[in-house]
């Protein structure tokens, strides 16, 4: 438990790696990731304004982190703005909740990696 509190991003990475290993062992788990990939692709292709919405969230999260808005930076990074908040941390490394922002971005990144790894594993059989 102390390791997770001290290194949350590494803990998230370990869980993400095991999720990809589960894809190799359990076909239904890989099918869940593949289904999520198709849902993401469907939403992006039929709702082009969704990309603009995600871009706005990322820009708002980056600005909130740059201006040291404590709660706003974390809240905006939760749904879709993890990348923007992480970019904001590059220019404001003294942000108080930087561990929370990095952990949220790591979770979002591993979710995307898992989804596409599931799709690749399903395509290979």
């Amino acid at each position: 438990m102390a390791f997770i509190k001290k290194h949350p991003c590494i803990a998230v990475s370990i869980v993400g790696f095991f999720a990809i290993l589960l894809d190799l062992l359990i076909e239904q788990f890989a099918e869940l990731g593949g289904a999520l990939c198709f849902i993401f692709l469907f939403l992006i292709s039929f709702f082009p304004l969704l990309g603009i919405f995600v871009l706005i969230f990322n820009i708002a999260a980056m600005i909130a982190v740059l201006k040291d808005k404590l709660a706003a930076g974390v809240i905006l990074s939760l749904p879709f703005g993890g990348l923007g908040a992480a970019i904001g941390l590059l220019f404001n490394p003294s942000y108080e909740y930087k561990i929370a922002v990095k952990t949220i971005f790591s979770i979002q990144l591993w979710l995307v990696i898992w989804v596409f790894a599931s799709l690749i594993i399903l395509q290979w059989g």
Side-chain angles (χ1 to χ4, degrees):
M1 211 52 188
F3 177 79
I4 294 173
K5 287 182 181 179
K6 196 170 187 178
H7 306 288
C9 292
I10 294 173
V12 168
S13 297
I14 291 170
V15 170
F17 179 74
F18 280 123
I20 293 174
L21 286 179
L22 276 176
D23 278 351
L24 294 170
L25 300 174
I26 303 171
E27 186 177 351
Q28 290 83 9
F29 195 68
E31 288 173 356
L32 175 65
L36 283 174
C37 183
F38 286 118
I39 290 171
F40 290 156
L41 292 175
F42 173 79
L43 289 173
I44 290 170
S45 64
F46 286 106
F47 299 108
L49 293 178
L50 186 66
I52 295 170
F53 182 69
V54 170
L55 182 67
I56 290 170
F57 256 93
N58 279 292
I59 292 171
M62 183 180 73
I63 291 170
V65 169
L66 287 175
K67 293 188 175 188
D68 272 335
K69 305 286 185 186
L70 300 179
V74 175
I75 290 171
L76 288 171
S77 68
L78 276 174
F80 308 108
L83 178 63
I87 292 171
L89 284 178
L90 293 174
F91 300 105
N92 185 8
S94 64
Y95 186 66
E96 186 176 343
Y97 294 132
K98 68 180 177 183
I99 294 174
V101 168
K102 286 181 179 180
T103 305
I104 291 167
F105 177 65
S106 183
I107 290 169
Q108 291 172 348
L109 185 64
W110 273 104
L111 181 66
V112 170
I113 291 170
W114 169 68
V115 164
F116 284 110
S118 297
L119 186 65
I120 291 170
I121 289 170
L122 284 175
Q123 292 297 318
W124 283 351

